[in-house]
Amino acid sequence: NAGVIQTPRHKVTGKGQEATLWCEPISGHSAVFWYRQTIVQGLEFLTYFRNQAPIDDSGMPKERFSAQMPNQSHSTLKIQSTQPQDSAVYLCASSSRDRENTLYFGAGTRLSVL
Amino acid sequence: GDQVEQSPSALSLHEGTGSALRCNFTTTMRAVQWFRKNSRGSLINLFYLASGTKENGRLKSAFDSKERYSTLHIRDAQLEDSGTYFCAAEAGNMGYKLTFGTGTSLLVDP
């Protein structure tokens, strides 16, 4: 079991560029979560999929951020026109159907917007 | 919004000793999870509690929803226990939306 895999581990973008972050949940897990960690805000919930369907995206910034889960083996978080304040560690987690509230996190993607 | 206050923010222990981390909640939470960030930066799930206590090796956690707190006790601390520990709480109606504490940086020295 390789755990939740996130790629890339580090991404540097210029202001205004697009960034796409990838997450591969643990095989067989039905739920995928995205969180963001910053020094100021700590760990914040962004969005949540169950069985590939978006359930709650209330934590997502209304503009420029979008998340998808096209199949059960990966989810993407896309940030358009990145801004310096988007710099953070973006964490993906997954959980199984019978223990949905027990989250298993990936190592995160550190996004730096210059 | 819901708040999770975690303390201490930093803790230094000598090998073989023990201590406790604590999270206080400003509202009633349905459950709590404790995580440790490993050397690769991943959050490793240590405990999930909806009530009572759980023990795993040298770690023991307790959660009291009514009194609005949770603790993580570490006994006989080892060097490899060093790292950052987080509690995360579930509100009653949106269990998947965890609210994290600010973390405790633990350093165990010889």
Side-chain angles (χ1 to χ4, degrees):
Chain A
N1 185 347
V4 175
I5 299 172
Q6 289 189 250
T7 55
R9 289 297 309 275
H10 304 275
K11 186 170 182 66
V12 180
T13 65
K15 183 178 174 181
Q17 292 184 326
E18 182 178 286
T20 300
L21 314 181
W22 294 73
C23 171
E24 181 180 329
I26 293 173
S27 178
H29 277 193
S30 60
V32 168
F33 307 81
W34 284 94
Y35 281 78
R36 176 171 64 180
Q37 183 176 27
T38 61
I39 300 262
V40 175
Q41 298 292 337
L43 275 149
E44 302 173 284
F45 169 83
L46 293 176
T47 189
Y48 158 52
F49 295 86
R50 182 193 293 145
N51 296 325
Q52 300 172 231
I55 303 298
D56 182 349
D57 66 354
S58 59
M60 294 275 275
K62 298 306 178 191
E63 298 177 353
R64 303 185 294 106
F65 281 65
S66 62
Q68 295 181 330
M69 192 162 184
N71 56 60
Q72 63 184 7
S73 65
H74 88 274
S75 174
T76 58
L77 179 66
K78 183 180 292 186
I79 308 171
Q80 295 177 310
S81 185
T82 54
Q83 303 297 310
Q85 62 265 30
D86 299 333
S87 297
V89 176
Y90 289 83
L91 292 163
C92 177
S94 70
S95 64
S96 62
R97 183 174 292 107
D98 57 344
R99 295 181 65 189
E100 189 167 277
N101 291 344
T102 300
L103 272 58
Y104 295 84
F105 280 85
T109 294
R110 181 176 295 279
L111 175 66
S112 298
V113 182
L114 305 179
Chain B
D2 298 339
Q3 295 249 340
V4 177
E5 300 165 352
Q6 185 172 345
S7 62
S9 58
L11 178 64
S12 182
L13 293 176
H14 291 305
E15 203 173 5
T17 64
S19 189
L21 316 181
R22 184 178 176 103
C23 283
N24 292 324
F25 313 119
T26 58
T27 187
T28 300
M29 299 295 185
R30 184 172 72 179
V32 69
Q33 302 185 43
W34 284 91
F35 296 90
R36 178 174 65 212
K37 183 176 281 190
N38 69 6
S39 58
R40 289 174 49 218
S42 295
L43 287 173
I44 305 301
N45 196 301
L46 300 175
F47 293 104
Y48 176 92
L49 296 100
S51 65
T53 63
K54 284 189 179 179
E55 192 165 357
N56 185 1
R58 295 176 291 98
L59 299 178
K60 181 177 180 179
S61 184
F63 172 54
D64 190 325
S65 177
K66 183 179 177 183
E67 298 300 322
R68 302 182 180 179
Y69 76 91
S70 178
T71 57
L72 178 67
H73 292 258
I74 302 172
R75 63 175 176 83
D76 187 25
Q78 302 298 304
L79 299 178
E80 60 265 27
D81 295 331
S82 295
T84 304
Y85 291 76
F86 293 90
C87 68
E90 297 176 15
N93 57 346
M94 291 186 181
Y96 53 83
K97 190 180 291 186
L98 297 176
T99 302
F100 279 79
T102 50
T104 296
S105 179
L106 171 65
L107 176 64
V108 180
D109 52 48

